[in-house]
Amino acid sequence: LAASVSALYNSNSIFADGSGKEADFAKTERMLTDEENRENVTYFLIVGVDKSTKLTDCIWLMCFDNKAHKINVLQIPRDTYVGEDSIAPHKINAVYESPKTVNWCGKCGKEATEDEIESGSHTVCGGKVEQRKRNNIDELIHCINSRLSLPVDYYLLFDFEGFEKVVDAMGGVDLYLEEELKIYPNKTDYETLHAGQNHLDGATALTFMRNRKTYAEGDLGRVKAQRKLIKAMMEKVEKMSLTDMLNILMAAKGSFKTDMSLKDMRSFLAPLKKCDADALYMFELPGENYWKKGRPSYYICDEEKTAEAFNEYMLPYGRKMTAYNISFPEPNF
């Protein structure tokens, strides 16, 4: 374990600020878990990015209930419509690649109001109001905070090559399927997974996770399939030691970024180890697919059902939501 921790500390690729120290990565702009509940619950944003397009085909928000040893994961479909205003462009999977320029205080790092922009001075701390471009992950976190009113305490960003490396470092993963399934690594080729037990290496697991051509529901079908894969991976991980888990992370270190410090990681690994596969529950953002001939496909959030789901799975302590807290624009098509 000491060797794994030492290797992780000396890695320059996994920490957002390029070091093993506490990363101060635009948290002044985020909605974080309130102090009253911070000991009980933590929210992790897990994002899978296609390096070639910078599109986020995997967006999960994990609510880790440290008190009850439960993990609930919100899966946000990549086609979720988030509007066409200054906050985000159309689909949520394009938000990461399209950071906006904002007015912010150079002293305390918080966004400025319209009046403060006009005066050029931040009334809270007296700092100078300047313009800057959010970085990619800031933009996505801002969108989730704004649209869903959920906090993001930490993020873990991985590219899909990293996911493949993780599965291979685990020795592959066993996946049970009710019926035969064709999965497509590209638009023309396919691989057949058989009904029953399948052993997936990293490349096949990645194809399974990203595949959506097979499903009549499109992206929603992929979201549901991902649950089977993550559950199978969780069942394998729960049998591993902390050293094994850290070694797997190290195997793909060049493909990950996080704003968790080494201290943060060590503090969460042991409690996470107490959570078995049965403690994991994954669900998609409530809503429905929308497609009109000649137009792109979208996934439209149902705000009332979303508030109900969040109250049940994402807010175990403290505040509760109504549909008023979920802020998606009306689709204009």
mmCIF file of all heavy atoms in Angstrom, residues 74 77 80-81 147-148 283-289 298-310 321-331:
data_model
loop_
_atom_site.group_PDB
_atom_site.id
_atom_site.type_symbol
_atom_site.label_atom_id
_atom_site.label_comp_id
_atom_site.label_asym_id
_atom_site.label_seq_id
_atom_site.Cartn_x
_atom_site.Cartn_y
_atom_site.Cartn_z
ATOM 1 N N LEU A 74 -26.476 9.263 -10.461
ATOM 2 C CA LEU A 74 -27.335 9.862 -11.486
ATOM 3 C C LEU A 74 -26.602 9.794 -12.820
ATOM 4 O O LEU A 74 -25.498 10.307 -12.957
ATOM 5 C CB LEU A 74 -27.636 11.313 -11.130
ATOM 6 C CG LEU A 74 -28.266 12.174 -12.243
ATOM 7 C CD1 LEU A 74 -29.683 11.698 -12.555
ATOM 8 C CD2 LEU A 74 -28.250 13.655 -11.851
ATOM 9 N N PRO A 77 -28.115 11.471 -19.579
ATOM 10 C CA PRO A 77 -27.952 11.127 -20.992
ATOM 11 C C PRO A 77 -27.247 12.235 -21.767
ATOM 12 O O PRO A 77 -27.487 13.417 -21.539
ATOM 13 C CB PRO A 77 -29.405 10.950 -21.468
ATOM 14 C CG PRO A 77 -30.161 10.566 -20.230
ATOM 15 C CD PRO A 77 -29.515 11.360 -19.131
ATOM 16 N N THR A 80 -29.167 15.174 -23.429
ATOM 17 C CA THR A 80 -30.027 16.023 -22.604
ATOM 18 C C THR A 80 -29.975 17.470 -23.082
ATOM 19 O O THR A 80 -28.903 18.068 -23.197
ATOM 20 C CB THR A 80 -29.608 15.951 -21.123
ATOM 21 O OG1 THR A 80 -29.708 14.590 -20.674
ATOM 22 C CG2 THR A 80 -30.505 16.831 -20.262
ATOM 23 N N TYR A 81 -31.146 18.026 -23.355
ATOM 24 C CA TYR A 81 -31.242 19.403 -23.848
ATOM 25 C C TYR A 81 -31.052 20.373 -22.689
ATOM 26 O O TYR A 81 -31.759 20.312 -21.688
ATOM 27 C CB TYR A 81 -32.617 19.624 -24.495
ATOM 28 C CG TYR A 81 -32.825 21.022 -25.034
ATOM 29 C CD1 TYR A 81 -32.233 21.410 -26.233
ATOM 30 C CD2 TYR A 81 -33.603 21.941 -24.339
ATOM 31 C CE1 TYR A 81 -32.421 22.694 -26.723
ATOM 32 C CE2 TYR A 81 -33.795 23.236 -24.829
ATOM 33 C CZ TYR A 81 -33.194 23.602 -26.020
ATOM 34 O OH TYR A 81 -33.368 24.881 -26.512
ATOM 35 N N ARG A 147 -28.534 23.853 -13.644
ATOM 36 C CA ARG A 147 -29.712 23.158 -14.156
ATOM 37 C C ARG A 147 -30.340 22.222 -13.127
ATOM 38 O O ARG A 147 -31.564 22.107 -13.053
ATOM 39 C CB ARG A 147 -29.350 22.353 -15.415
ATOM 40 C CG ARG A 147 -28.894 23.179 -16.608
ATOM 41 C CD ARG A 147 -29.957 24.131 -17.055
ATOM 42 N NE ARG A 147 -29.607 24.825 -18.286
ATOM 43 C CZ ARG A 147 -29.899 26.087 -18.538
ATOM 44 N NH1 ARG A 147 -30.524 26.814 -17.604
ATOM 45 N NH2 ARG A 147 -29.580 26.649 -19.682
ATOM 46 N N LEU A 148 -29.497 21.549 -12.340
ATOM 47 C CA LEU A 148 -29.994 20.499 -11.450
ATOM 48 C C LEU A 148 -29.962 20.875 -9.973
ATOM 49 O O LEU A 148 -30.488 20.133 -9.138
ATOM 50 C CB LEU A 148 -29.181 19.216 -11.660
ATOM 51 C CG LEU A 148 -29.232 18.628 -13.072
ATOM 52 C CD1 LEU A 148 -28.284 17.450 -13.186
ATOM 53 C CD2 LEU A 148 -30.650 18.203 -13.431
ATOM 54 N N PHE A 283 -29.388 5.385 -11.751
ATOM 55 C CA PHE A 283 -30.641 5.734 -12.418
ATOM 56 C C PHE A 283 -30.407 6.888 -13.383
ATOM 57 O O PHE A 283 -29.527 7.724 -13.172
ATOM 58 C CB PHE A 283 -31.725 6.099 -11.396
ATOM 59 C CG PHE A 283 -31.467 7.390 -10.657
ATOM 60 C CD1 PHE A 283 -32.161 8.556 -10.984
ATOM 61 C CD2 PHE A 283 -30.528 7.458 -9.631
ATOM 62 C CE1 PHE A 283 -31.933 9.743 -10.308
ATOM 63 C CE2 PHE A 283 -30.302 8.646 -8.939
ATOM 64 C CZ PHE A 283 -30.993 9.785 -9.276
ATOM 65 N N GLU A 284 -31.202 6.905 -14.463
ATOM 66 C CA GLU A 284 -31.036 7.984 -15.429
ATOM 67 C C GLU A 284 -31.885 9.194 -15.051
ATOM 68 O O GLU A 284 -32.892 9.066 -14.336
ATOM 69 C CB GLU A 284 -31.391 7.530 -16.848
ATOM 70 C CG GLU A 284 -32.873 7.345 -17.127
ATOM 71 C CD GLU A 284 -33.340 5.925 -16.877
ATOM 72 O OE1 GLU A 284 -32.579 5.136 -16.301
ATOM 73 O OE2 GLU A 284 -34.483 5.599 -17.266
ATOM 74 N N LEU A 285 -31.470 10.351 -15.505
ATOM 75 C CA LEU A 285 -32.239 11.571 -15.320
ATOM 76 C C LEU A 285 -33.644 11.341 -15.875
ATOM 77 O O LEU A 285 -33.801 10.975 -17.043
ATOM 78 C CB LEU A 285 -31.557 12.713 -16.070
ATOM 79 C CG LEU A 285 -32.190 14.094 -15.954
ATOM 80 C CD1 LEU A 285 -31.891 14.700 -14.578
ATOM 81 C CD2 LEU A 285 -31.674 15.017 -17.062
ATOM 82 N N PRO A 286 -34.695 11.525 -15.076
ATOM 83 C CA PRO A 286 -36.054 11.306 -15.588
ATOM 84 C C PRO A 286 -36.374 12.240 -16.762
ATOM 85 O O PRO A 286 -36.049 13.431 -16.734
ATOM 86 C CB PRO A 286 -36.941 11.633 -14.381
ATOM 87 C CG PRO A 286 -36.066 11.372 -13.202
ATOM 88 C CD PRO A 286 -34.689 11.809 -13.627
ATOM 89 N N GLY A 287 -36.986 11.676 -17.789
ATOM 90 C CA GLY A 287 -37.329 12.468 -18.966
ATOM 91 C C GLY A 287 -37.734 11.568 -20.105
ATOM 92 O O GLY A 287 -38.071 10.397 -19.907
ATOM 93 N N GLU A 288 -37.677 12.103 -21.318
ATOM 94 C CA GLU A 288 -38.074 11.321 -22.482
ATOM 95 C C GLU A 288 -37.293 11.751 -23.713
ATOM 96 O O GLU A 288 -36.819 12.888 -23.812
ATOM 97 C CB GLU A 288 -39.577 11.478 -22.743
ATOM 98 C CG GLU A 288 -40.019 12.906 -23.023
ATOM 99 C CD GLU A 288 -41.525 13.013 -23.217
ATOM 100 O OE1 GLU A 288 -42.210 11.993 -23.095
ATOM 101 O OE2 GLU A 288 -41.986 14.122 -23.519
ATOM 102 N N ASN A 289 -37.159 10.807 -24.642
ATOM 103 C CA ASN A 289 -36.497 11.112 -25.902
ATOM 104 C C ASN A 289 -37.392 11.984 -26.769
ATOM 105 O O ASN A 289 -38.621 11.852 -26.757
ATOM 106 C CB ASN A 289 -36.165 9.818 -26.654
ATOM 107 C CG ASN A 289 -35.005 9.070 -26.036
ATOM 108 O OD1 ASN A 289 -33.984 9.660 -25.713
ATOM 109 N ND2 ASN A 289 -35.160 7.762 -25.866
ATOM 110 N N TYR A 298 -33.000 14.712 -29.068
ATOM 111 C CA TYR A 298 -32.744 15.295 -27.753
ATOM 112 C C TYR A 298 -33.375 14.425 -26.674
ATOM 113 O O TYR A 298 -34.270 13.620 -26.945
ATOM 114 C CB TYR A 298 -33.345 16.709 -27.654
ATOM 115 C CG TYR A 298 -32.674 17.740 -28.520
ATOM 116 C CD1 TYR A 298 -33.266 18.171 -29.712
ATOM 117 C CD2 TYR A 298 -31.453 18.296 -28.157
ATOM 118 C CE1 TYR A 298 -32.651 19.118 -30.518
ATOM 119 C CE2 TYR A 298 -30.833 19.243 -28.941
ATOM 120 C CZ TYR A 298 -31.431 19.652 -30.126
ATOM 121 O OH TYR A 298 -30.811 20.591 -30.906
ATOM 122 N N TYR A 299 -32.895 14.625 -25.465
ATOM 123 C CA TYR A 299 -33.513 14.014 -24.285
ATOM 124 C C TYR A 299 -34.008 15.165 -23.421
ATOM 125 O O TYR A 299 -33.233 16.044 -23.036
ATOM 126 C CB TYR A 299 -32.509 13.151 -23.527
ATOM 127 C CG TYR A 299 -33.114 12.388 -22.378
ATOM 128 C CD1 TYR A 299 -33.844 11.224 -22.605
ATOM 129 C CD2 TYR A 299 -32.952 12.817 -21.062
ATOM 130 C CE1 TYR A 299 -34.410 10.518 -21.554
ATOM 131 C CE2 TYR A 299 -33.502 12.115 -20.007
ATOM 132 C CZ TYR A 299 -34.229 10.959 -20.261
ATOM 133 O OH TYR A 299 -34.783 10.268 -19.223
ATOM 134 N N ILE A 300 -35.313 15.175 -23.134
ATOM 135 C CA ILE A 300 -35.937 16.292 -22.430
ATOM 136 C C ILE A 300 -36.194 15.909 -20.979
ATOM 137 O O ILE A 300 -36.896 14.933 -20.697
ATOM 138 C CB ILE A 300 -37.266 16.712 -23.103
ATOM 139 C CG1 ILE A 300 -37.072 16.921 -24.613
ATOM 140 C CG2 ILE A 300 -37.809 17.972 -22.445
ATOM 141 C CD1 ILE A 300 -36.054 17.978 -24.965
ATOM 142 N N CYS A 301 -35.625 16.677 -20.062
ATOM 143 C CA CYS A 301 -35.771 16.399 -18.633
ATOM 144 C C CYS A 301 -37.203 16.642 -18.163
ATOM 145 O O CYS A 301 -37.829 17.646 -18.531
ATOM 146 C CB CYS A 301 -34.811 17.291 -17.843
ATOM 147 S SG CYS A 301 -35.015 17.225 -16.050
ATOM 148 N N ASP A 302 -37.735 15.716 -17.373
ATOM 149 C CA ASP A 302 -39.020 15.899 -16.698
ATOM 150 C C ASP A 302 -38.707 16.471 -15.314
ATOM 151 O O ASP A 302 -38.251 15.757 -14.421
ATOM 152 C CB ASP A 302 -39.749 14.558 -16.579
ATOM 153 C CG ASP A 302 -41.142 14.683 -15.972
ATOM 154 O OD1 ASP A 302 -41.291 15.436 -14.986
ATOM 155 O OD2 ASP A 302 -42.068 14.020 -16.457
ATOM 156 N N GLU A 303 -38.932 17.760 -15.131
ATOM 157 C CA GLU A 303 -38.478 18.447 -13.920
ATOM 158 C C GLU A 303 -39.183 17.960 -12.665
ATOM 159 O O GLU A 303 -38.568 17.827 -11.601
ATOM 160 C CB GLU A 303 -38.644 19.962 -14.093
ATOM 161 C CG GLU A 303 -37.763 20.505 -15.219
ATOM 162 C CD GLU A 303 -37.933 21.990 -15.445
ATOM 163 O OE1 GLU A 303 -38.857 22.588 -14.843
ATOM 164 O OE2 GLU A 303 -37.148 22.566 -16.219
ATOM 165 N N GLU A 304 -40.461 17.660 -12.757
ATOM 166 C CA GLU A 304 -41.200 17.202 -11.575
ATOM 167 C C GLU A 304 -40.717 15.833 -11.126
ATOM 168 O O GLU A 304 -40.451 15.610 -9.938
ATOM 169 C CB GLU A 304 -42.703 17.159 -11.886
ATOM 170 C CG GLU A 304 -43.555 16.906 -10.664
ATOM 171 C CD GLU A 304 -45.041 17.112 -10.917
ATOM 172 O OE1 GLU A 304 -45.400 17.993 -11.728
ATOM 173 O OE2 GLU A 304 -45.837 16.386 -10.312
ATOM 174 N N LYS A 305 -40.576 14.899 -12.064
ATOM 175 C CA LYS A 305 -40.089 13.564 -11.718
ATOM 176 C C LYS A 305 -38.630 13.598 -11.266
ATOM 177 O O LYS A 305 -38.218 12.806 -10.409
ATOM 178 C CB LYS A 305 -40.251 12.618 -12.916
ATOM 179 C CG LYS A 305 -41.701 12.263 -13.215
ATOM 180 C CD LYS A 305 -41.801 11.298 -14.383
ATOM 181 C CE LYS A 305 -43.254 10.937 -14.672
ATOM 182 N NZ LYS A 305 -43.366 10.019 -15.833
ATOM 183 N N THR A 306 -37.870 14.528 -11.830
ATOM 184 C CA THR A 306 -36.470 14.663 -11.438
ATOM 185 C C THR A 306 -36.358 15.100 -9.985
ATOM 186 O O THR A 306 -35.558 14.556 -9.209
ATOM 187 C CB THR A 306 -35.740 15.668 -12.347
ATOM 188 O OG1 THR A 306 -35.695 15.144 -13.688
ATOM 189 C CG2 THR A 306 -34.327 15.932 -11.871
ATOM 190 N N ALA A 307 -37.154 16.068 -9.583
ATOM 191 C CA ALA A 307 -37.145 16.524 -8.189
ATOM 192 C C ALA A 307 -37.506 15.376 -7.250
ATOM 193 O O ALA A 307 -36.877 15.194 -6.198
ATOM 194 C CB ALA A 307 -38.113 17.691 -8.013
ATOM 195 N N GLU A 308 -38.494 14.577 -7.617
ATOM 196 C CA GLU A 308 -38.894 13.433 -6.795
ATOM 197 C C GLU A 308 -37.752 12.419 -6.673
ATOM 198 O O GLU A 308 -37.478 11.897 -5.586
ATOM 199 C CB GLU A 308 -40.127 12.758 -7.409
ATOM 200 C CG GLU A 308 -41.397 13.614 -7.346
ATOM 201 C CD GLU A 308 -42.550 12.988 -8.107
ATOM 202 O OE1 GLU A 308 -42.364 11.880 -8.668
ATOM 203 O OE2 GLU A 308 -43.640 13.603 -8.156
ATOM 204 N N ALA A 309 -37.083 12.145 -7.806
ATOM 205 C CA ALA A 309 -35.976 11.182 -7.795
ATOM 206 C C ALA A 309 -34.806 11.693 -6.955
ATOM 207 O O ALA A 309 -34.180 10.931 -6.213
ATOM 208 C CB ALA A 309 -35.518 10.905 -9.228
ATOM 209 N N PHE A 310 -34.526 12.984 -7.069
ATOM 210 C CA PHE A 310 -33.425 13.561 -6.291
ATOM 211 C C PHE A 310 -33.709 13.481 -4.789
ATOM 212 O O PHE A 310 -32.818 13.195 -3.994
ATOM 213 C CB PHE A 310 -33.197 15.013 -6.692
ATOM 214 C CG PHE A 310 -32.498 15.186 -8.027
ATOM 215 C CD1 PHE A 310 -32.162 14.088 -8.813
ATOM 216 C CD2 PHE A 310 -32.164 16.443 -8.498
ATOM 217 C CE1 PHE A 310 -31.526 14.234 -10.032
ATOM 218 C CE2 PHE A 310 -31.519 16.604 -9.711
ATOM 219 C CZ PHE A 310 -31.202 15.508 -10.478
ATOM 220 N N MET A 321 -36.171 19.048 -2.613
ATOM 221 C CA MET A 321 -36.409 19.844 -3.817
ATOM 222 C C MET A 321 -37.856 19.807 -4.256
ATOM 223 O O MET A 321 -38.616 18.901 -3.905
ATOM 224 C CB MET A 321 -35.562 19.306 -4.982
ATOM 225 C CG MET A 321 -34.120 19.679 -4.966
ATOM 226 S SD MET A 321 -33.378 19.233 -6.560
ATOM 227 C CE MET A 321 -31.657 19.587 -6.216
ATOM 228 N N THR A 322 -38.192 20.788 -5.092
ATOM 229 C CA THR A 322 -39.413 20.766 -5.885
ATOM 230 C C THR A 322 -38.993 20.987 -7.334
ATOM 231 O O THR A 322 -37.819 21.274 -7.620
ATOM 232 C CB THR A 322 -40.390 21.880 -5.459
ATOM 233 O OG1 THR A 322 -39.816 23.159 -5.788
ATOM 234 C CG2 THR A 322 -40.683 21.812 -3.965
ATOM 235 N N ALA A 323 -39.938 20.887 -8.242
ATOM 236 C CA ALA A 323 -39.633 21.108 -9.662
ATOM 237 C C ALA A 323 -39.082 22.506 -9.902
ATOM 238 O O ALA A 323 -38.357 22.744 -10.876
ATOM 239 C CB ALA A 323 -40.888 20.883 -10.500
ATOM 240 N N TYR A 324 -39.401 23.426 -8.992
ATOM 241 C CA TYR A 324 -38.923 24.810 -9.120
ATOM 242 C C TYR A 324 -37.394 24.881 -9.075
ATOM 243 O O TYR A 324 -36.785 25.761 -9.687
ATOM 244 C CB TYR A 324 -39.515 25.655 -7.990
ATOM 245 C CG TYR A 324 -39.057 27.095 -7.986
ATOM 246 C CD1 TYR A 324 -39.623 28.027 -8.847
ATOM 247 C CD2 TYR A 324 -38.048 27.513 -7.118
ATOM 248 C CE1 TYR A 324 -39.202 29.351 -8.848
ATOM 249 C CE2 TYR A 324 -37.618 28.833 -7.113
ATOM 250 C CZ TYR A 324 -38.203 29.744 -7.979
ATOM 251 O OH TYR A 324 -37.771 31.049 -7.983
ATOM 252 N N ASN A 325 -36.753 23.936 -8.385
ATOM 253 C CA ASN A 325 -35.303 23.937 -8.259
ATOM 254 C C ASN A 325 -34.587 23.403 -9.504
ATOM 255 O O ASN A 325 -33.386 23.611 -9.669
ATOM 256 C CB ASN A 325 -34.864 23.088 -7.062
ATOM 257 C CG ASN A 325 -35.461 23.582 -5.764
ATOM 258 O OD1 ASN A 325 -36.304 22.917 -5.156
ATOM 259 N ND2 ASN A 325 -35.033 24.758 -5.328
ATOM 260 N N ILE A 326 -35.320 22.687 -10.348
ATOM 261 C CA ILE A 326 -34.737 22.125 -11.573
ATOM 262 C C ILE A 326 -34.953 23.127 -12.694
ATOM 263 O O ILE A 326 -36.091 23.476 -13.011
ATOM 264 C CB ILE A 326 -35.371 20.777 -11.941
ATOM 265 C CG1 ILE A 326 -35.464 19.863 -10.716
ATOM 266 C CG2 ILE A 326 -34.599 20.105 -13.067
ATOM 267 C CD1 ILE A 326 -34.150 19.499 -10.094
ATOM 268 N N SER A 327 -33.888 23.592 -13.312
ATOM 269 C CA SER A 327 -33.992 24.760 -14.202
ATOM 270 C C SER A 327 -33.530 24.444 -15.623
ATOM 271 O O SER A 327 -32.388 24.730 -16.005
ATOM 272 C CB SER A 327 -33.161 25.910 -13.633
ATOM 273 O OG SER A 327 -33.223 27.047 -14.463
ATOM 274 N N PHE A 328 -34.404 23.834 -16.389
ATOM 275 C CA PHE A 328 -34.124 23.599 -17.803
ATOM 276 C C PHE A 328 -35.015 24.510 -18.658
ATOM 277 O O PHE A 328 -36.185 24.731 -18.317
ATOM 278 C CB PHE A 328 -34.413 22.135 -18.195
ATOM 279 C CG PHE A 328 -33.366 21.183 -17.727
ATOM 280 C CD1 PHE A 328 -33.398 20.651 -16.456
ATOM 281 C CD2 PHE A 328 -32.333 20.802 -18.571
ATOM 282 C CE1 PHE A 328 -32.431 19.768 -16.003
ATOM 283 C CE2 PHE A 328 -31.348 19.907 -18.135
ATOM 284 C CZ PHE A 328 -31.402 19.391 -16.856
ATOM 285 N N PRO A 329 -34.496 25.040 -19.748
ATOM 286 C CA PRO A 329 -35.323 25.896 -20.609
ATOM 287 C C PRO A 329 -36.335 25.081 -21.402
ATOM 288 O O PRO A 329 -36.142 23.878 -21.624
ATOM 289 C CB PRO A 329 -34.286 26.531 -21.558
ATOM 290 C CG PRO A 329 -33.198 25.514 -21.633
ATOM 291 C CD PRO A 329 -33.125 24.877 -20.265
ATOM 292 N N GLU A 330 -37.413 25.721 -21.779
ATOM 293 C CA GLU A 330 -38.406 25.066 -22.633
ATOM 294 C C GLU A 330 -37.791 24.836 -24.026
ATOM 295 O O GLU A 330 -37.226 25.762 -24.610
ATOM 296 C CB GLU A 330 -39.663 25.935 -22.770
ATOM 297 C CG GLU A 330 -40.522 25.983 -21.523
ATOM 298 C CD GLU A 330 -41.168 24.648 -21.227
ATOM 299 O OE1 GLU A 330 -41.508 23.924 -22.181
ATOM 300 O OE2 GLU A 330 -41.305 24.315 -20.040
ATOM 301 N N PRO A 331 -37.895 23.626 -24.552
ATOM 302 C CA PRO A 331 -37.368 23.375 -25.893
ATOM 303 C C PRO A 331 -38.082 24.234 -26.934
ATOM 304 O O PRO A 331 -39.309 24.380 -26.895
ATOM 305 C CB PRO A 331 -37.681 21.893 -26.128
ATOM 306 C CG PRO A 331 -37.876 21.336 -24.769
ATOM 307 C CD PRO A 331 -38.457 22.427 -23.927
#
